Amino acid sequence: MPSFQHRKAVGDAHELRVAQELTWRGWSVNAWGQGMLTDPVRFALRGTDSALRWTPDLIVAKGQQVAVIDCKSRMTSRTTDRHVVERAAVTAVLNA
């Protein structure tokens, strides 16, 4: 399995590509979520069940439309080839 640093680099490149594509399509794009936090705060959040742990990567706006986007470079499970949503993320959002 690739190292965390490798997976992070792939994810960061994908997030940048998504942001560029949205910008080219007329959306205003800003970083959002844990990518804006310092390492100690991100580390502390990992030990909680706070909904803040699951905030998306980007917030975008076009006119009066606003959306949040959690960029994923891989969308399916390696074992089942099905789409996966982490149960803890759903629970955190439902309890927020």
Side-chain angles (χ1 to χ4, degrees):
M1 174 177 282
S3 70
F4 171 77
Q5 291 81 9
H6 175 74
R7 293 190 317 271
K8 173 101 169 79
V10 169
D12 288 348
H14 180 66
E15 185 177 316
L16 178 60
R17 175 66 189 268
V18 169
Q20 288 172 337
E21 291 287 340
L22 288 164
T23 299
W24 292 331
R25 288 167 171 77
W27 290 84
S28 295
V29 180
N30 289 99
W32 188 257
Q34 287 197 48
M36 302 297 299
L37 304 175
T38 62
D39 287 339
V41 174
R42 278 198 305 273
F43 179 77
L45 278 173
R46 276 187 229 136
T48 73
D49 60 358
S50 169
L52 293 173
R53 216 181 140 198
W54 307 104
T55 53
D57 301 317
L58 303 173
I59 186 167
V60 300
K62 186 177 187 181
Q64 296 298 307
Q65 295 178 321
V66 176
V68 289
I69 299 167
D70 195 25
C71 304
K72 300 294 180 212
S73 59
R74 182 181 48 80
M75 295 299 297
T76 55
S77 166
R78 290 183 184 134
T79 56
T80 65
D81 203 35
R82 297 173 73 183
H83 293 281
V84 176
V85 177
E86 190 164 342
R87 184 182 313 267
V90 173
T91 302
V93 171
L94 292 175
N95 293 329

